[in-house]
Amino acid sequence: MIKKALGAASVLLAVSVSATAQEQVLNLYSARHYSTDEALYANFTKATGIKINRVDADDAGILARLKAEGAASPADVILLVDAARLHKGEVDGLFQAVKSKALDDAIPARYRAKAGPEGTPWFGFSTRARVIVYDKVKVKREDVDTYEELADARNKGKICIRSGSHPYNLSLFGALVEHLGEQKAEAWLKGVVANLARDPKGGDTDQIKGVGSGECQIAVSNSYYVARLLRSSNPEDKALMERVGVVFPNQSSWGTHVNIAGGAVAKNARNQANAVKFLEYLASPEAQNYFANGNNEWPTAKGVKVSNTALQAMSGGGDFKSETIPLAAVGANQVKVQQMLDRVGFK
Ligand code: FE
């Protein structure tokens, strides 16, 4: 009898040991695909013994997949590249809040979701600025050194920008709603539409190249696309970047709009402890350098600096003034902004 009971106990023990062994994995859904991220993941596995299984897709694809998989989703951690999308994942109930002193201490409040009693739904791990690029021959720098001036009549027919509904623009416009108020922000959007050189099409790099081809004189782009062109050895890119100037807008007012790439723990994560460990690792100084530098971005964690020559050249040798509003508020404005875009005919 005793022997039998012991036997059963040892079977149970064996089962729970193998379950623990199985827990040493992390299923990651990532919208980031940079070669430096491979080293980032390898270092995490080396330090913790936790193996990473990765699924790559873009932000929209990951959110759609999580919804379709529902409770059966194997995802533990989600990495996305825009505050509006992170906010959407939160609102759609795809994440679970995290309580972590390490994350709360490392990541400034404006770069993470608003914390509730359960914890914080998502964290930003790198920042990118939404900058203005202009033709140095045809446009005066002082005519494009604020976002407000993009709507000024003197810039009529000069501006190229990607679709207004793209998350990068939804976040920029959501920030403008915070800075200017709804009425002024909508009037501003109307002014930008009136100043477009062409209907919105393509990505940020296409807008910069539009300045090179002469189709546009002013373009709006995320900073890392500019940095990528600045680091390019392609002669065409070099010629393009000699022709254009880069402005970090609103340096003498509320600062340049910045967005984030960030992460969250999936709602139905089975490896929850590993997931939190991974997010805490991303906030560490070592990981911050890989995470930010791999895509020419700035780290979010307090006290971490990155040395990146393209970023330094672009921002005039160092720091620039960025806006201080919480990105959670920016993300929350996206539905309102989409309605404004429809009203002013911003495609
Ligand atoms: Fe991008």
Side-chain angles (χ1 to χ4, degrees), residues 183-263:
Q183 277 191 342
K184 278 188 183 166
E186 183 159 341
W188 177 82
L189 284 171
K190 208 172 171 183
V192 173
V193 171
N195 285 348
L196 292 181
R198 63 182 184 201
D199 278 349
K201 61 170 182 186
D204 284 356
T205 303
D206 298 311
Q207 316 312 316
I208 304 170
K209 289 189 170 168
V211 176
S213 71
E215 200 179 353
C216 337
Q217 296 177 30
I218 301 163
V220 178
S221 172
N222 277 357
S223 46
Y224 57 86
Y225 294 113
V226 178
R228 221 176 269 173
L229 287 167
L230 282 170
R231 293 179 129 187
S232 169
S233 52
N234 177 323
E236 269 178 41
D237 294 341
K238 282 183 183 294
L240 170 64
M241 297 320 282
E242 266 162 37
R243 179 167 173 172
V244 304
V246 182
V247 162
F248 284 72
N250 294 66
Q251 289 303 290
S252 42
S253 57
W254 34 266
T256 299
H257 168 65
V258 294
N259 204 333
I260 49 166

Side-chain angles (χ1 to χ4, degrees), residues 141-157:
R141 189 180 179 91
E142 61 261 36
D143 288 347
V144 287
D145 59 3
T146 66
Y147 295 112
E148 287 92 325
E149 284 163 314
L150 294 178
D152 194 294
R154 80 168 83 90
N155 288 324
K156 198 167 182 61

Side-chain angles (χ1 to χ4, degrees), residues 23-28 36-54 76-77 79 103 125 265 271-284 286-288 290-291:
E23 271 165 25
Q24 295 314 307
V25 297
L26 178 77
N27 297 317
L28 174 65
T36 46
D37 284 4
E38 299 296 335
L40 183 72
Y41 304 144
N43 288 347
F44 175 73
T45 301
K46 214 196 274 172
T48 62
I50 299 166
K51 194 181 150 243
I52 296 178
N53 303 314
R54 200 172 82 235
D76 295 313
V77 165
L79 294 180
L103 284 166
F125 295 109
V265 176
N271 304 295
Q272 201 263 354
N274 290 353
V276 173
K277 217 180 264 181
F278 182 69
L279 294 187
E280 288 173 346
Y281 166 73
L282 291 184
S284 70
E286 182 211 10
Q288 279 280 289
Y290 280 109
F291 197 91

Side-chain angles (χ1 to χ4, degrees), residues 8 15 49 78 161 176-177 186 221 238 293 335:
V15 167
I78 318 297
I161 187 166
L176 277 148
V177 168
E186 183 159 341
S221 172
K238 282 183 183 294
N293 228 352
V335 173

Side-chain angles (χ1 to χ4, degrees), residues 34 81 128 162 166 168 204 222 224-225 228 295:
Y34 314 119
V81 293
R128 58 276 297 279
R162 76 192 307 165
H166 188 276
Y168 300 159
D204 284 356
N222 277 357
Y224 57 86
Y225 294 113
R228 221 176 269 173
N295 188 34

Side-chain angles (χ1 to χ4, degrees), residues 56-140:
D56 288 323
D58 64 10
D59 281 359
I62 286 174
L63 292 178
R65 184 168 173 156
L66 282 172
K67 267 190 191 165
E69 289 172 343
S73 176
D76 295 313
V77 165
I78 318 297
L79 294 180
L80 301 177
V81 293
D82 168 68
R85 284 274 159 77
L86 285 161
H87 179 81
K88 189 155 189 344
E90 175 191 345
V91 170
D92 290 351
L94 301 173
F95 305 152
Q96 60 172 284
V98 170
K99 270 188 179 159
S100 160
K101 187 172 181 325
L103 284 166
D104 289 348
D105 285 350
I107 309 297
R110 70 175 185 275
Y111 297 137
R112 48 180 149 99
K114 219 174 151 187
E118 307 286 298
T120 306
W122 48 262
F123 299 86
F125 295 109
S126 62
T127 62
R128 58 276 297 279
R130 201 126 180 85
V131 299
I132 296 174
V133 173
Y134 64 99
D135 186 321
K136 283 194 285 195
V137 176
K138 298 177 188 160
V139 174
K140 279 188 267 170

